[in-house]
Amino acid sequence: MANTGIYKDPKKSAYSIEYYDSEPERQFMDFLEQSEEVVKWTKNHGIKIPYFNLDGKLAYYTPDFLIEYKNGDQEIVELKGGHMINNPITRRKSQAAMEWCKKRGIKYTLKQV
Amino acid sequence: MPDSFINHETDFKNWVYSGYPGVNTETLEFIEHLLTRSSGLQLWPHQKEAILRVIYSYELKRDQLGNKFLLKIVTGGGKSLIIASLIAWLKFAHPEDVDKFLIICPNLIVKDRLATDFVRSADNDNKTVFEKWSLTPDDTLNQKISATVLESGNDPQSMLDADIVITNIQELYTSGTNTARNLDFLVTKVGNIAIFNDEAHNSVADEFTRVLNILKDKTKLRVDTTATPERADGSYPDSKLIYNFDITAAMDSQTPIIKNIVVLQPESHIVEITYTNALTGEKRKITEFSPEEMEQYERKVKPFQWIMDPAPMKMLLSIANNALFQKKKESEGRYKPLLFVVTMGIEEAKRTKEFLESEFNLRTLLVTEESDESEREEAKRIGSLTSPYEAVVSVFMLREGWDVAEVSVVLLLRKITSQVFGQQIIGRGLRKIKKRSPEPEILLVVDHPMLDHGWLWKLMNVSRVRQDILPTDEIGEETIPVRTQFIQKLVNPDKLIKVKQPVVDSSFQSKLEEIRKSLKEEETIKNWREILDKAVYDTTESIEITAVIIDRIKKKSLGKKFGLEIEDEGSGKVFTGSSDIVITAEDVTDEIISMVKSLIEENGYDITKQQRLYNVVMDHVCHKFLGNRPLSSANEEELKAIIRFIPDIKKNFSRGILKGIFSEEGD
């Protein structure tokens, strides 16, 4: 994949480095590091959200970012390119993720980049 | 799978730091004897860590963590010594808790290996792992701990006499008469047990769960040890993950315990395609001299042809052979480096063996599920200096348990789509040859870029993917890149995010149920016969890659100054070849059996379903390719066509179709 790389020494992540898979992801990491509201974030959260793929088969989806805010709120953010946002797989995944997050009182955001 | 230990990490560290407060006296004595001793054989740090985490969880946190734990330990990480140490601890510190120790493994190879550690025999100089390692502080106890192996068809009575029973999961299945008797014997004749699953959870999920459920009430402790907790279907066992010593952690440890991986990929293009029309008998070669036509036919080439057609296959084998040659040089005759090849089907496995022996003069062992006992014995002996073999070819068989440290080159002649299988296959070559040496070692993996295995190399944390390797290249000694900065390490535990726990939400449950219900119809395809009948295999035209060439004229110099590029115009060696091999009806049967087996395994069905599926596939093949004539009446061309279409046939047997087929059973 294009523009993958390593985000070194993030201050708000528990890990020594974070991997990004695209330029927008790297920029988003910069944003998270600078934002005053954000206290913790990571892409290495191990969350797997069960959903049914287009073959009707149970599959698991790992969203991009897990973020924690100053007031204790949590958010899961998925970054998607414009051409992907209305793709049926993306919709299945985000539907499942919304349900999963709602159950836990976590905010789910699908961001178009 | 979720890490259940996150909330206890800090408390655990303090517990270790302050000298293990709260444990019983014998446990303390055990820890001092085995884990903090200054003389005698030393366990690896991660083995000690794993043992301490189980002790901590069992003695102090049972109310929160339960009594079923999972240790994720990388292949080659010495799982059986961890199991032995935990048995030693329970025997020494909690003799009242457990009567019998049950070690369950997935297959015969693992069973044999465990037996070598635990059962006193000439193989271990009459010393069990307990004596050799002085696992408990009490030497008489070390000598007394005994083990037996539950063999197929044996009297279960033998289980009564030994402390430890080693068995493969199939011996406990509820479906067979003998095996059900084994399980019943455990339930009625034996007191409390501790269960150790060594990779056994990869067996069929429902049988595995059934067996453990039956033993549930008398199970005081269960420890699952595995490198890959997730099953092929994405589910994982119900035990709590308390330690994760994965590939990254293993590479990052002071004494590296597994090899580094370097992937070699060729970059080549097609220079000749052979076109055959079965109806008109037309046969011609399309070459790069007619670029437009070439482009048109290139689009028809399927990804697997890049590895299966004879010309590209020869090229990959040639690279693998060069890599092996380098490994032989490095070994200086002290050990025997091995090439391990994984193929899609039996037919390619046979062809690979033939090529390796005729073109490269490498004595090759073919291991399939049909291999007899003596061949499997050979597979175990392989890698020793006295074994005549230099290469092993396998379809699906050698996945877990068979790990020979001397495997120095792995060649993938199949596309891998499952994380679990991918890690297991590469895992065969990850064990270091000189286990306790601080020197790093390298495993070379030869892979074709058309197979798109990038995700696997990321997952396996490979040191380097080297593209545009030429078959004419001499492969140099790889240097290990400085990589510490690239390893994702936990450095700020206080920044870990504790994911909020779900609130009980009945409306969510019902919504999920709704989704599930609405998907039911899609899941099981009831009219599978109709769907299969509609399948089209166009056998009139066939194309085959008959020549490939490497198209890079520049290559990075290997083993010299980094980054220096040299012109290399003359090395574009052309690889040619066509399938002139005679295929018999028996070959086709073998190929279909092997396809059926992988369908059964990839979809998590029990082996008992194999016959039924084989019959359906065979009917389908005879219907589609032979106009309902039996396979025995097929001519050479028809047999070749079937072999060529095996991957397409397999694709048509989707999960929904399989569900449909098996939903009819017992009707």
Side-chain angles (χ1 to χ4, degrees), chain B residues 53 82 132 169 207 259 263 278 292 297 330 387 404 454 469 485 517 558 609 647 655:
Chain B
R53 280 174 185 238
I82 295 173
K132 198 175 140 209
I169 184 85
E207 267 293 357
K259 293 176 193 153
V263 178
E292 273 164 32
Y297 281 94
E330 285 171 29
S387 161
V404 173
I469 293 290
Q485 59 173 330
K517 266 185 205 141
L558 304 174
K609 302 248 193 283
R655 187 155 176 86

Side-chain angles (χ1 to χ4, degrees), chain B residues 104-117:
Chain B
I104 307 179
C105 54
N107 58 40
L108 298 174
I109 300 173
V110 183
K111 188 156 92 171
D112 286 352
R113 205 180 60 206
L114 286 168
T116 313
D117 280 341

Side-chain angles (χ1 to χ4, degrees), chain B residues 73 162 327 375 380 458 479:
Chain B
I73 308 283
K327 287 295 183 182
E375 282 168 308
K380 263 189 278 172
K458 195 172 170 187
T479 48

Side-chain angles (χ1 to χ4, degrees), chain A residues 6 11 13-17 19 21 40 44 48 52 54 56 60 66 68 72 74 99 102-104, chain B residues 230 234 458 486-492 494-498 500 502-503 508 511 519 522-523:
Chain A
I6 285 166
K11 297 284 174 287
S13 160
Y15 300 95
S16 54
I17 53 164
Y19 297 102
D21 291 324
K40 301 172 184 178
N44 184 22
K48 287 191 173 184
F52 293 99
L54 297 177
Y60 293 86
L66 174 66
E68 192 168 295
Q74 295 182 349
E99 290 295 339
K102 200 173 142 195
K103 201 168 136 189
R104 291 166 172 77
Chain B
E230 274 147 36
K458 195 172 170 187
F486 299 133
I487 287 183
Q488 192 168 38
K489 276 189 277 196
L490 180 66
V491 286
N492 308 313
D494 60 309
K495 293 281 183 216
L496 279 172
I497 304 176
K498 285 168 195 163
K500 289 183 181 167
V503 285
F508 172 77
K511 263 184 210 151
L519 287 162
E522 256 181 80
E523 283 242 315

Side-chain angles (χ1 to χ4, degrees), chain A residues 16-75:
Chain A
S16 54
I17 53 164
E18 290 275 352
Y19 297 102
Y20 56 81
D21 291 324
S22 63
E23 177 55 22
E25 279 193 12
R26 195 197 61 75
Q27 288 174 7
F28 192 60
M29 289 178 176
D30 273 344
F31 163 78
L32 292 171
E33 283 289 290
Q34 283 153 22
S35 161
E36 284 189 15
E37 297 304 310
V38 175
V39 284
K40 301 172 184 178
W41 66 271
T42 185
K43 278 193 77 188
N44 184 22
H45 43 65
I47 292 173
K48 287 191 173 184
I49 298 172
Y51 75 104
F52 293 99
N53 67 18
L54 297 177
D55 301 330
K57 197 172 156 183
L58 184 65
Y60 293 86
Y61 145 58
T62 300
D64 290 337
F65 288 88
L66 174 66
I67 303 163
E68 192 168 295
Y69 293 95
K70 227 196 258 176
N71 63 1
D73 284 356
Q74 295 182 349
E75 183 179 10

Side-chain angles (χ1 to χ4, degrees), chain B residues 54-199:
Chain B
V54 174
I55 291 177
Y56 170 84
S57 305
Y58 183 82
E59 291 202 11
L60 304 171
K61 297 286 167 202
R62 226 180 307 182
D63 53 331
Q64 290 160 55
L65 290 169
N67 63 351
K68 292 179 283 192
F69 309 124
L70 188 136
L71 304 170
K72 182 174 172 181
I73 308 283
V74 68
T75 303
K79 288 189 295 253
S80 47
L81 189 54
I82 295 173
I83 294 174
S85 304
L86 289 173
I87 292 176
W89 159 60
L90 289 168
K91 269 298 217 189
F92 183 75
H94 298 277
E96 305 300 315
D97 283 10
V98 179
D99 246 28
K100 199 66 73 188
F101 300 88
L102 193 59
I103 307 182
I104 307 179
C105 54
N107 58 40
L108 298 174
I109 300 173
V110 183
K111 188 156 92 171
D112 286 352
R113 205 180 60 206
L114 286 168
T116 313
D117 280 341
F118 287 87
V119 184
R120 195 187 310 278
S121 73
D123 284 346
N124 53 27
D125 300 324
N126 289 312
K127 272 197 172 151
T128 66
V129 61
F130 300 98
E131 296 163 272
K132 198 175 140 209
W133 281 83
S134 172
L135 290 182
T136 82
D138 176 354
D139 273 337
T140 328
L141 182 62
N142 288 334
Q143 282 167 25
K144 256 180 30 198
I145 301 177
S146 62
T148 182
V149 178
L150 190 57
E151 298 284 3
S152 184
N154 268 15
D155 191 340
Q157 195 72 24
S158 68
M159 289 195 273
L160 282 190
D161 308 323
D163 297 306
I164 303 166
V165 177
I166 301 167
T167 179
N168 49 327
I169 184 85
Q170 292 81 2
E171 286 302 316
L172 300 175
Y173 275 7
T174 49
S175 44
T177 327
N178 272 331
T179 57
R181 193 167 69 126
N182 288 338
L183 190 59
D184 189 53
F185 198 87
L186 280 172
V187 174
T188 53
K189 299 270 170 41
V190 170
N192 287 332
I193 56 175
I195 295 179
F196 296 88
N197 280 317
D198 191 5
E199 301 281 2

